[in-house]
Amino acid sequence: MAAPSHQATYDAIVIGAGIQGSFTAYHLAQRHKNTLLLEQFVLPHSRGSSHGQSRIIRSAYPQAAYARMMPDSFHLWQQLEAEAGTSLYRRTGLVVLGPPDDPELEGCRRNLGANHVLDAATLTQRFPGLRLPAGEVAVWDGTGGVLLAQRALRAVQDVFRRRGGTLRDGEKVLRIEPGVEVTVTTTAGVYRAPRLVIAAGAWTGALLAPLGLHLPLQPLRIDVCYWREKELGSLGAGSLSPCFIAVGLRQTPHGIYGLPSIEYPGLVKVCHHHGSPVDPEERDRVPPGTPHPDIALLSSFISCYLPGLETSPAVVETCLYTNTPDEDFILDRHPKFSNIIIGAGFSGHGFKLAPVVGKLLCELSLGEEPSHSTAPFAISRFPGALRAPL
Ligand SMILES: Cc1cc2nc3c(=O)[nH]c(=O)nc-3n(C[C@H](O)[C@H](O)[C@H](O)COP(=O)(O)OP(=O)(O)OC[C@H]3O[C@@H](n4cnc5c(N)ncnc54)[C@H](O)[C@@H]3O)c2cc1C
């Protein structure tokens, strides 16, 4: 028997209940828009980019556009904590490690202002688990810390529903028909709204191609690695040790980052900020015997910078990045259908900024001037993206 088909009209529809779509829906509901948030998988799920327990939040950003958005983001995270009555942020501090002349490190130092540089001796004194190779320095960001990711996703969706929003999970969007009212057909219904936001993570390309838009979005499979402390607590397990980002490494242009032990006692998360190109539908189809260059790279990094950790990961999980060529976000209208708004290409650094991203996508969908400039995130930086629909 065919499933009953739902039909309804809303003020706004958002596709994708990851952190970006959920925050967009939350802001729309706050603006009293009757909003439908659609998710293809039953929630919670681990197929996208927003699952797992931890994400880094920091003020230290080399690019001024992101650095300027961070105070607003910290404020909005606090607001969500208050609304949801739960704590979502653990302050640990963060160090950016690298050669003093590295442009990313220098950019972070410049945007943080004042004197935030620690030399190797001071770093080792404060954080005995971290070793700096000769000649490298550390930039200290006291606001850095960990967002409790899964809890945050749940919180923003709960508040959205409390504000009267409708979240329908296990319902995949199959077709989008543009128009003054956009029609969205899913596996269970047909919905209409004068505005649509697409925040579909690694699946965004598949939804946009039939609308004639071919953005250079590359899904990457990321090995999320957890490394055991040789002696439990030697790195100051819990909130005592900082998050870190290592840049300017000889072995990789993409950087390596780490978070203190949070999800698993005695296991520290250390990952390469890059991965292997993948079809999100086939994420785990890795032929047996395939080498894991990221894990080899991380082992060698750990022997040098984190000698208190074992050099084979105890646990490896999987996550997806969706990268743009310049690793900057896409936050813009569809160039032909101005009531279809796109948030994509978060390139492995979008979680911390999700409250602001959601606000900007909400403002764009309401035809308002965005509260931060979206010029760096425009689709026009990819000439040729707009082609004839399939
Ligand atoms: C290992 C890892 C570590 C990271 N670390 C950090 C960090 O430390 N700090 C930081 O700021 N960021 C970090 N990030 C990045 C951050 O997590 C992502 O930028 C963010 O989660 C992206 O969210 P999203 O909503 O765009 O995507 P997703 O979470 O993937 O959400 C998109 C949703 O759309 C749904 N969807 C897709 N197609 C359809 C359809 N047709 N119909 C209905 N639903 C659909 C998907 O199922 C999915 O749930 C990390 C990411 C990874 C993978």
Side-chain angles (χ1 to χ4, degrees), residues 16 18 20 39-40 45 49-50 55-56 173 257 319 350-352:
Q20 312 297 3
E39 169 54 48
Q40 63 181 336
H45 74 84
S49 302
S50 302
R55 293 291 187 279
I56 292 176
V173 172
Y257 60 90
C319 195
F351 204 97
K352 68 183 82 56

Side-chain angles (χ1 to χ4, degrees), residues 41-210:
F41 300 126
V42 173
L43 292 168
H45 74 84
S46 56
R47 292 276 308 270
S49 302
S50 302
H51 59 282
Q53 305 306 323
S54 60
R55 293 291 187 279
I56 292 176
I57 182 166
R58 56 187 154 109
S59 301
Y61 249 110
Q63 302 95 329
Y66 298 111
R68 277 197 295 267
M69 287 153 79
M70 280 315 302
D72 197 8
S73 204
F74 273 106
H75 170 73
L76 289 167
W77 279 114
Q78 268 173 7
Q79 192 174 306
L80 176 63
E81 284 184 317
E83 286 164 330
T86 186
S87 127
L88 303 172
Y89 160 60
R90 285 195 196 157
R91 188 170 183 150
T92 62
L94 170 135
V95 280
V96 184
L97 314 171
D101 57 352
D102 178 81
E104 267 191 78
L105 184 126
E106 174 49 26
C108 291
R109 198 197 54 73
R110 196 179 47 243
N111 286 327
L112 284 171
N115 189 6
H116 287 261
V117 178
L118 308 178
D119 60 21
T122 315
L123 183 83
T124 312
Q125 203 179 18
R126 280 172 72 171
F127 307 112
L130 265 173
R131 298 283 155 81
L132 267 188
E136 292 203 356
V137 296
V139 171
W140 171 247
D141 173 0
T143 70
V146 180
L147 290 167
L148 304 178
Q150 195 73 45
R151 196 191 284 185
L153 186 62
R154 174 77 195 271
V156 68
Q157 292 169 354
D158 284 350
V159 175
F160 164 65
R161 272 190 287 229
R162 236 191 283 150
R163 287 179 180 156
T166 305
L167 198 173
R168 298 185 64 89
D169 63 348
E171 205 171 319
K172 180 175 177 157
V173 172
L174 303 174
R175 198 166 58 247
I176 298 166
E177 290 161 62
V180 178
E181 283 220 316
V182 184
T183 305
V184 173
T185 305
T186 71
T187 41
V190 179
Y191 309 101
R192 289 184 182 79
R195 53 188 69 80
L196 170 71
V197 179
I198 301 177
W203 290 265
T204 302
L207 282 167
L208 290 178

Side-chain angles (χ1 to χ4, degrees), residues 138-360:
V139 171
W140 171 247
D141 173 0
T143 70
V146 180
L147 290 167
L148 304 178
Q150 195 73 45
R151 196 191 284 185
L153 186 62
R154 174 77 195 271
V156 68
Q157 292 169 354
D158 284 350
V159 175
F160 164 65
R161 272 190 287 229
R162 236 191 283 150
R163 287 179 180 156
T166 305
L167 198 173
R168 298 185 64 89
D169 63 348
E171 205 171 319
K172 180 175 177 157
V173 172
L174 303 174
R175 198 166 58 247
I176 298 166
E177 290 161 62
V180 178
E181 283 220 316
V182 184
T183 305
V184 173
T185 305
T186 71
T187 41
V190 179
Y191 309 101
R192 289 184 182 79
R195 53 188 69 80
L196 170 71
V197 179
I198 301 177
W203 290 265
T204 302
L207 282 167
L208 290 178
L211 300 174
L213 194 56
H214 300 264
L215 296 173
L217 293 169
Q218 176 62 70
L220 297 175
R221 179 187 193 280
I222 306 296
D223 287 326
V224 185
C225 301
Y226 298 87
W227 310 76
R228 191 175 300 286
E229 291 174 273
K230 288 176 183 164
E231 279 175 52
L232 190 63
S234 61
L235 285 183
S239 59
L240 290 177
S241 91
C243 297
F244 71 84
I245 301 176
V247 297
L249 296 165
R250 242 182 320 107
Q251 301 86 339
T252 169
H254 301 292
I256 288 174
Y257 60 90
L259 293 78
S261 175
I262 290 214
E263 37 275 272
Y264 309 121
L267 301 192
V268 176
K269 182 169 163 183
V270 183
C271 305
H272 185 202
H273 186 48
H274 202 61
S276 327
V278 76
D279 171 353
E281 289 300 318
E282 310 267 317
R283 189 194 68 186
D284 294 328
R285 193 192 285 240
V286 180
T290 305
H292 280 271
D294 294 327
I295 294 180
L297 170 79
L298 289 166
S299 293
S300 115
F301 173 86
I302 281 171
S303 342
C304 175
Y305 287 78
L306 295 156
L309 295 183
E310 292 178 359
T311 52
S312 308
V315 173
V316 181
E317 297 170 342
T318 308
C319 195
L320 290 173
Y321 281 7
T322 306
N323 278 30
T324 58
D326 54 14
E327 297 187 13
D328 286 327
F329 307 164
I330 294 171
L331 307 174
D332 204 351
R333 301 169 191 289
H334 188 293
K336 195 162 162 210
F337 309 116
S338 62
N339 57 349
I340 299 181
I341 310 301
I342 298 148
F346 295 101
S347 304
H349 65 110
F351 204 97
K352 68 183 82 56
L353 279 155
V356 178
V357 164
K359 183 160 87 167
L360 295 173

